[in-house]
């Protein structure tokens, strides 16, 4: 019931906005301002034969400014009578000779060639708007073979162009046919050529020539002209296209463009991070206090670093390190899905002209040694590379948009309804979603996959109906990164990865439902209608307008819509993940303090290192406490407890190795100067913490000697050690607390305690020597007592060393 209510609200919102925007676009206008020839111009047919393609024109109204600016669009004009009239003596036969434009402004007719040969003309007249009439040319008496045929580049196609001439139902022999190379994909430097520029038709009325293609994939235009009045042929230049295809060149160009695109995207994100500082990433942890703020944090950070996958991987790391709860993480993931749409919005604008200037200027700026200026340079350089790579992909795919084989391939998952007003084919929709998933899993970047979708749409290989399911697939495919990152993480991190997947799957299901909620007289899916209404240009026109911007807007509003729907149920969504992937009651969530996933955020990684060192000091001090107060002072040597303390000391040694290795990995990242200076301080602190634990073993050895001596320390000696212990204990607590706060007073107290300890050690040693002289203590116990004073003093020195370095730690990485 709740789902139906929520879905109903979303549908009503789309309908209301669409109705409002539809009213603003003035679609009811019936003024014909433009007649656009969609299909059928420049066709050839033999006398008495039907031309292969029907004539199709589109009637459009005046230019309407876009709601959000831009060039705007022209609305189709329906209900207008259209006449198809042969002119200039043409004997073309048109069926029907008049028709009415449909809801999409389209009017169509089939044409049969008469007995006249040569150029024939057909005038298309919108009744009532005769001034907008257009005339197209048809060619009778000629048939061409080879137009839009595909050949390998660098080859000579046998009989690549064949012209057949016929008059009075008989082959026209002995007629000269002229062939001229008009344009090539390589421009003036092309080595393409026509082997026989002029060929006379044989007894079958056929003239053949071969064309040598260049090395570059693209269109090679050939003009065909027949001028022989005596034979009854006056055909001005008819242009045909030969399609040259170089597979390896295409693959290299597309993959090269994709590589530059991904590298530019990463470089731009890294540059922005240098400019904005690491506070952008710290937002994920420290501004995720409630759902809305978490969403905003995830959106902002993802928009900056240009990768939702990177954001979710960081979130997994934060969870595994115990820095985020599941609910906070889900909020950030929601925001990351919105933030990742910024990339598509950027690349949907035609800014390719800025690519090379941005690359040049950005490179020069990166030569600066100042971090922030260098960051601006990387941002600009990345921006240029992104658009240069996008242009490479788009240019290559745009050429392939004319290749029939590629058109047929993409028709396999074409999601456009078969007829206006009919449903989108479900099988094709699911197939497109699957392709989007596979492509994103393979590339490991939804932004890069979206770049490919935009390039395909810009080249005309896919339409808006197909692009939207593809982008839905990219949203599901991008979740694989979080799943892989969570594979070795704790249960809560796995729940967060599951939440990312469920969120995107839910969004796709919601959009699938909206695909089958029609709206408007054209019965367009309500979500697609809404996107078309708020975006400049008409993407549903016979020649789609502004397709890339429509796709980017669909990507953004899809994710925003899903966030709006699910945000009120953030806690329930977390509960669902907990139910689907429960945490056993008898298990404890394993927290990995030194999480590798945090290394890309050095500030937080250093903070985790400080936390780990604090734990080392705390654990080492607990060991010393037990050794002194439960074994040495009572004069008891418990073998079982000694073994437990030895195992704990080994664990401290392991922690020292882990912290040191982690700090070494941090140094391999881009660090600020204060961060670089902090690393050696933390290494020294780690060593001091480990040495404090080492003193446990030495104290246990003293205890063993004391027990073997079978004589306890004198009461005065034990009293002195307890006094010294109280001060040392106070120092340890101050050091531990100082590592976890920004209170400088605790550091001062710790250093003050260390001075007291040194004075007490000297004083108690002198007093003990007096007791030895008076015979109040045995020589063996006396040596043990003095050694114990030394052990406590050394522990105090190690604590003091940590305390001296703590102010710098507090300054940068404690109070975050």
């Amino acid at each position: 019931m709740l789902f139906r209510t929520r879905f109903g609200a979303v549908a009503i919102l789309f309908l209301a906005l669409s109705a409002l925007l539809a009213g603003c676009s003035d679609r009811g206008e019936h003024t014909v301002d433009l007649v656009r020839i969609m299909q059928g111009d420049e066709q050839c047919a033999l006398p008495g034969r039907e031309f292969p393609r029907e004539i199709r024109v589109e009637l459009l109204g005046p230019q309407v400014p876009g709601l959000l600016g831009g060039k705007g669009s022209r609305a189709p004009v329906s209900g207008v009578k259209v006449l198809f009239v042969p002119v200039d003596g043409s004997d073309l036969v048109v069926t029907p000779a008049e028709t009415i434009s449909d809801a999409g402004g389209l009017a169509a007719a089939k044409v049969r060639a008469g007995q006249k040969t040569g150029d024939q003309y057909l005038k298309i007249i919108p009744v009532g708007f005769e001034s907008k009439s257009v005339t197209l040319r048809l060619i009778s008496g000629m048939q061409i073979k080879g137009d839009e045929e595909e050949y390998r580049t660098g080859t000579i196609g046998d009989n690549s162009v064949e012209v057949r001439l016929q008059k009075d139902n008989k082959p026209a022999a002995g007629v000269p046919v002229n062939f001229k190379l008009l344009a090539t994909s390589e421009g003036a430097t092309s080595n393409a050529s026509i082997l026989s520029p002029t060929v006379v038709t044989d007894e079958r009325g056929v003239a053949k020539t071969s064309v040598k293609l260049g090395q570059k994939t693209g269109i090679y235009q050939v003009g065909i002209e027949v001028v022989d009045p005596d034979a009854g042929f006056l055909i001005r230049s008819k242009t045909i296209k030969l399609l040259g295809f170089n597979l390896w060149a295409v693959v290299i160009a597309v993959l090269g463009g994709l590589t530059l695109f991904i590298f530019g995207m990463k470089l731009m994100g890294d540059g922005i991070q240098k400019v904005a500082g690491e506070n952008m990433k710290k937002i994920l942890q420290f501004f995720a206090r409630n759902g809305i703020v978490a969403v905003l944090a995830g959106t902002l950070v993802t928009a900056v670093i240009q990768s939702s996958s990177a954001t979710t991987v960081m979130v997994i790391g934060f969870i595994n390190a115990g820095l985020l709860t599941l609910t906070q993480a889900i909020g950030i993931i929601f925001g990351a899905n919105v933030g990742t749409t910024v990339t598509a919005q950027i690349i949907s604008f035609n800014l390719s002209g800025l690519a090379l200037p941005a690359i040049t200027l950005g490179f020069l700026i990166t030569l600066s040694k100042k971090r922030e200026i260098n960051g601006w340079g990387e941002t600009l350089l990345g921006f240029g590379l992104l658009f240069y790579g996008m242009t490479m992909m788009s240019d290559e795919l745009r050429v392939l948009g004319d290749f029939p084989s590629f058109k047929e391939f993409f028709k396999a998952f074409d999601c456009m309804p078969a007829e206006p007003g009919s449903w989108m084919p479900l099988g094709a929709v699911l197939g497109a979603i699957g392709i989007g998933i596979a492509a994103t899993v393979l590339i490991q970047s939804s932004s890069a996959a979206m770049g490919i979708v935009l390039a395909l749409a810009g080249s005309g290989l896919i339409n808006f109906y197909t692009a939207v399911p593809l982008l839905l697939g990219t949203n599901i495919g991008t979740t694989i990164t979080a799943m892989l990152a969570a594979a070795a993480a704790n249960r809560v991190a796995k729940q967060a990865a599951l939440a990312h997947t469920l969120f995107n799957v839910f969004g796709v299901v919601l959009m699938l439902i909206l695909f089958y909620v029609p709206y408007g007289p054209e019965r367009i899916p309500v979500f697609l209608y809404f996107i078309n209404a708020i975006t400049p240009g008409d993407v549903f026109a016979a020649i789609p307008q502004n397709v890339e911007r429509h796709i980017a807007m669909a990507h953004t509003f899809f994710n925003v819509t899903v966030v709006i729907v699910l945000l009120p149920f953030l806690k329930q969504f977390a509960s669902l993940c907990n139910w689907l992937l429960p945490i056993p009651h008898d298990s404890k969530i394993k927290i990995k303090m030194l999480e590798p996933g945090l290394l890309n955020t050095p500030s937080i990684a250093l903070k985790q290192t400080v936390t780990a060192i604090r734990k080392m000091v705390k654990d080492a001090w607990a060991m010393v406490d037990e050794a002194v107060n439960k074994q040495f002072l009572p004069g008891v040597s418990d073998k079982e407890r000694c073994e437990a303390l030895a195992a704990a000391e080994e664990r401290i040694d392991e922690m020292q190795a882990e912290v040191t290795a982690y700090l070494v990995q941090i140094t391999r990242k881009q660090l600020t100067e204060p961060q670089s200076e902090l690393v050696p301080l933390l290494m020294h602190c780690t060593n001091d913490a480990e040495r404090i634990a080492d003193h446990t073993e030495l104290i246990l050895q003293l205890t063993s000697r004391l027990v073997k001596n079978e004589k306890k320390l004198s009461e005065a000696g034990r009293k002195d050690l307890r006094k010294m212990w109280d001060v040392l204990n106070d120092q340890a607590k101050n050091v531990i607390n100082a590592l976890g706060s920004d209170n400088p007073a605790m550091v001062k107290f710790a250093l003050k305690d260390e001075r007291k300890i040194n004075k007490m050690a000297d004083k108690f040693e002198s007093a003990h020597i007096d007791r030895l002289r008076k015979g109040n203590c045995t020589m063996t116990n006396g040596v043990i007592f003095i050694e114990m004073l030394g052990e406590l003093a050394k522990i105090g020195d190690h604590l003091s060393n940590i305390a001296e370095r703590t102010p710098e730690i507090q300054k940068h990485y404690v109070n975050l």
Side-chain angles (χ1 to χ4, degrees):
M1 181 66 182
L2 184 61
F3 171 77
R4 289 200 299 270
T5 302
R6 176 64 59 176
F7 170 71
V10 173
I12 291 171
L13 174 63
F14 278 130
L15 291 173
L17 287 173
S18 299
L20 175 62
L21 294 165
C24 294
S25 66
D26 197 18
R27 291 184 180 269
E29 180 65 61
H30 276 70
T31 300
V32 177
D33 187 64
L34 176 68
V35 177
R36 178 184 290 155
I37 300 174
M38 305 297 302
Q39 177 181 288
D41 196 15
E42 298 282 327
Q43 292 187 86
C44 299
L46 295 177
R49 303 280 185 89
E50 190 173 274
F51 287 91
R53 290 176 294 175
E54 68 177 4
I55 307 299
R56 189 177 298 172
V57 296
E58 182 184 28
L59 274 58
L60 299 172
Q63 189 90 5
V64 177
L67 181 69
L68 301 180
K71 294 181 179 179
S73 62
R74 295 178 182 271
V77 181
S78 61
V80 175
K81 182 185 288 187
V82 180
L83 305 179
F84 297 87
V85 182
V87 293
D88 296 339
S90 297
D91 63 347
L92 301 170
V93 180
V94 186
T95 307
E98 62 179 59
T99 187
I100 304 295
S101 61
D102 63 15
L106 295 177
K110 293 183 178 180
V111 183
R112 181 181 297 275
Q115 292 303 313
K116 290 185 177 181
T117 58
D119 293 340
Q120 308 293 313
Y121 297 94
L122 184 68
K123 191 171 185 178
I124 301 168
I125 306 169
V127 177
F129 307 95
E130 286 77 6
S131 64
K132 304 299 180 182
S133 300
V134 295
T135 301
L136 54 79
R137 179 177 75 136
L138 299 169
I139 303 170
S140 296
M142 182 167 72
Q143 188 180 66
I144 300 175
K145 181 181 178 182
D147 191 13
E148 296 190 0
E149 292 284 340
E150 296 181 22
Y151 301 95
R152 286 189 301 112
T153 55
T155 62
I156 299 175
D158 292 336
N159 303 323
S160 51
V161 180
E162 178 181 301
V163 175
R164 179 183 296 273
L165 299 180
Q166 185 173 307
K167 184 180 180 181
D168 299 328
N169 296 323
K170 295 180 180 179
V175 178
V177 179
N178 299 315
F179 300 92
K180 183 179 181 180
L181 191 63
L182 301 178
T184 72
S185 60
E186 297 167 316
T189 60
S190 176
N191 61 349
S193 61
I194 295 177
L195 300 188
S196 301
T198 301
V199 180
V200 178
T201 56
D202 60 18
E203 67 277 2
R204 295 177 297 124
V206 174
K208 301 178 182 178
T209 190
S210 296
V211 180
K212 179 185 177 183
L213 303 183
Q215 297 297 325
K216 187 175 180 181
T217 297
I219 298 172
Y220 294 78
Q221 295 183 1
V222 176
I224 301 174
E225 188 175 67
V226 183
V227 181
D228 191 344
D230 295 336
F233 286 95
L234 288 172
I235 302 173
R236 60 186 175 88
S237 183
K238 156 66 178 170
T239 302
I240 66 169
K241 300 175 182 177
L242 302 185
L243 307 177
F245 183 51
N246 187 329
L247 176 62
W248 288 111
V250 170
V251 170
I252 291 171
V254 172
L255 291 181
L258 179 61
T259 302
L260 286 175
F261 178 91
I262 295 173
F263 179 66
M265 187 170 57
K266 181 182 183 302
L267 196 61
M268 187 164 65
D270 291 344
I272 294 174
Q273 289 177 54
K274 283 185 179 180
V275 174
E278 287 194 34
N279 290 327
M280 296 305 302
K281 290 182 179 180
K282 290 189 285 186
I283 286 174
L284 291 181
Q285 179 191 358
F286 300 103
F287 290 88
R289 304 309 181 195
N290 62 61
I292 295 177
V293 177
V295 170
L296 293 176
T299 301
L300 178 61
V301 172
T302 306
V304 168
I305 66 178
Q306 298 285 297
S307 173
S308 61
S309 296
T311 301
T312 52
V313 167
M314 282 195 294
V315 168
I316 297 299
F318 289 154
I319 293 174
N320 205 39
L323 300 177
L324 286 177
T325 65
L326 177 61
T327 303
Q328 290 172 335
I330 291 175
I332 293 172
I333 289 170
F334 282 10
N337 274 41
V338 176
T340 193
T341 66
V342 171
T343 307
Q345 288 287 352
I346 292 173
I347 62 180
S348 67
F349 290 98
N350 185 14
L351 302 177
S352 57
L354 300 176
L356 291 178
I359 290 173
T360 303
L361 185 59
F363 173 74
L364 293 175
I365 296 175
T366 57
L367 299 178
S368 172
K369 294 182 179 180
K370 292 186 177 180
R371 179 182 172 85
E372 287 192 8
I373 296 177
N374 185 273
W376 282 115
E378 286 189 8
T379 302
L380 196 57
L381 179 59
F383 174 86
L385 289 173
L386 183 149
F387 276 98
Y388 189 73
M390 186 70 185
T391 301
M392 283 183 62
M393 284 195 297
S394 299
D395 289 348
E396 205 68 31
L397 293 173
R398 190 171 286 109
V399 172
L400 297 181
D402 291 311
F403 284 55
S405 58
F406 280 83
K407 289 180 180 179
E408 288 301 316
F409 171 77
F410 286 99
K411 281 182 181 178
F413 54 93
D414 188 352
C415 301
M416 178 181 285
E419 297 291 337
S422 61
W423 304 109
M424 293 173 65
L426 181 60
V429 170
L430 295 177
I433 292 173
I435 291 172
I437 293 172
T440 309
V441 169
L442 182 65
I443 302 172
Q444 289 287 291
S445 171
S446 61
S447 295
M450 273 300 301
I452 294 175
V453 171
L454 290 170
L456 290 171
S459 67
L461 286 170
I462 61 174
N463 51 53
F464 185 54
Y465 283 101
T466 306
V468 175
L470 283 172
L471 72 85
L472 297 182
T474 65
N475 267 43
I476 295 178
T478 193
T479 63
I480 188 67
T481 308
M483 291 181 184
L484 294 174
N490 61 37
R491 197 76 163 183
V492 180
K494 288 181 173 66
Q495 290 175 344
L498 175 64
H500 191 203
T501 302
L502 289 178
F503 172 88
N504 289 1
V505 169
F506 174 84
V508 169
V509 172
L510 176 61
M511 286 300 110
L512 276 175
I513 295 171
L514 292 177
F515 283 165
Y516 298 95
V517 178
Y519 182 72
E522 298 92 351
R523 292 181 58 80
I524 296 171
V526 62
F527 178 73
L528 303 186
Y529 185 95
F530 167 73
I531 296 301
N532 190 48
I534 65 172
T535 310
D538 185 5
V539 79
F540 300 116
I543 297 180
Q545 304 165 0
N546 213 7
V547 182
E548 294 97 327
R549 291 290 304 129
H550 282 78
I551 296 171
M553 293 295 283
H555 192 208
T556 298
F557 275 88
F558 157 65
N559 285 288
V560 169
T561 299
V562 180
V563 168
I564 291 173
V565 172
L566 290 181
L567 187 58
F569 310 105
L570 194 61
K571 292 183 179 178
Q572 291 84 343
F573 196 73
S575 299
L576 174 63
C577 295
N578 194 35
W579 179 72
L580 292 172
L581 198 64
I583 300 172
H585 296 292
D586 57 346
S587 66
K588 185 178 180 181
I589 297 298
K590 185 179 179 181
I591 301 298
K592 190 170 185 179
M593 202 171 299
L594 303 177
E595 164 60 39
L598 302 179
L599 289 169
N600 289 324
T601 315
S603 59
I604 297 179
L606 286 168
K607 180 180 182 294
Q608 287 299 100
T609 306
V610 173
T611 304
I613 292 172
R614 183 172 183 266
K615 186 178 187 305
M616 282 182 67
V617 175
K618 194 173 182 179
D619 291 349
W621 181 248
M623 293 165 57
V624 172
D625 183 24
E626 180 173 347
V628 172
N629 292 303
K630 294 185 178 179
Q631 301 214 35
F632 183 84
L633 290 177
V636 176
S637 181
D638 186 329
K639 183 178 180 181
E640 185 175 335
R641 291 307 305 157
C642 286
E643 290 176 354
L645 287 173
E649 199 274 332
E650 288 181 4
R651 176 58 192 144
I652 294 291
D653 290 344
E654 291 173 2
M655 286 186 69
Q656 180 197 24
E658 290 173 6
V659 171
T660 302
Y662 198 69
L663 285 169
V664 170
Q665 292 182 71
I666 291 175
T667 60
R668 295 170 182 164
K669 304 298 178 180
Q670 290 185 341
L671 305 178
T672 62
E673 188 174 340
Q675 289 172 343
S676 298
E677 293 173 352
L678 197 61
V679 170
L681 296 181
L682 294 178
M683 285 188 174
H684 286 304
C685 289
T686 306
N687 295 335
D688 281 311
E690 189 273 335
R691 287 168 187 163
I692 291 172
D694 287 344
H695 285 286
T696 302
E697 183 180 356
L698 297 174
I699 293 172
L700 292 176
Q701 290 175 4
L702 292 176
T703 303
S704 178
R705 286 164 53 192
L706 185 65
V707 170
K708 287 180 180 179
N709 194 34
E710 296 183 354
K711 287 188 178 181
K712 295 183 179 181
L713 292 176
S714 65
E715 185 60 33
R718 287 200 299 275
K719 185 177 180 181
D720 289 344
L721 288 175
R722 287 194 182 97
K723 287 180 181 179
M724 191 170 178
W725 172 261
D726 289 340
V727 178
L728 188 62
N729 187 49
D730 186 67
Q731 182 188 21
K733 289 180 179 178
N734 285 327
V735 169
I736 293 169
N737 291 334
L739 286 172
S741 75
D742 62 342
N743 188 351
M746 294 179 181
V747 175
K748 293 179 181 178
F749 292 150
L751 294 175
K752 185 178 180 180
D753 287 336
E754 197 267 342
R755 290 192 292 270
K756 286 184 181 178
I757 290 170
N758 289 335
K759 291 179 180 179
M760 293 175 77
D762 293 338
K763 178 181 176 182
F764 293 156
E765 184 177 347
S766 298
H768 187 66
I769 291 173
D770 287 340
R771 288 195 294 273
L772 286 174
R773 287 197 190 103
K774 296 177 181 178
N776 295 333
C777 183
T778 64
M779 181 61 67
T780 302
N781 286 357
V783 172
I784 293 173
F785 177 82
I786 291 173
E787 289 183 14
M788 187 61 179
L789 287 176
E791 291 298 322
L792 296 181
K794 289 175 183 177
I795 292 172
D797 290 339
H798 293 309
L799 289 171
S800 178
N801 290 339
I802 297 172
E804 288 174 352
R805 300 179 183 110
T806 299
E808 195 66 24
I809 297 172
Q810 288 179 330
K811 180 180 177 182
H812 294 287
Y813 293 102
V814 174
N815 188 29
L816 293 175

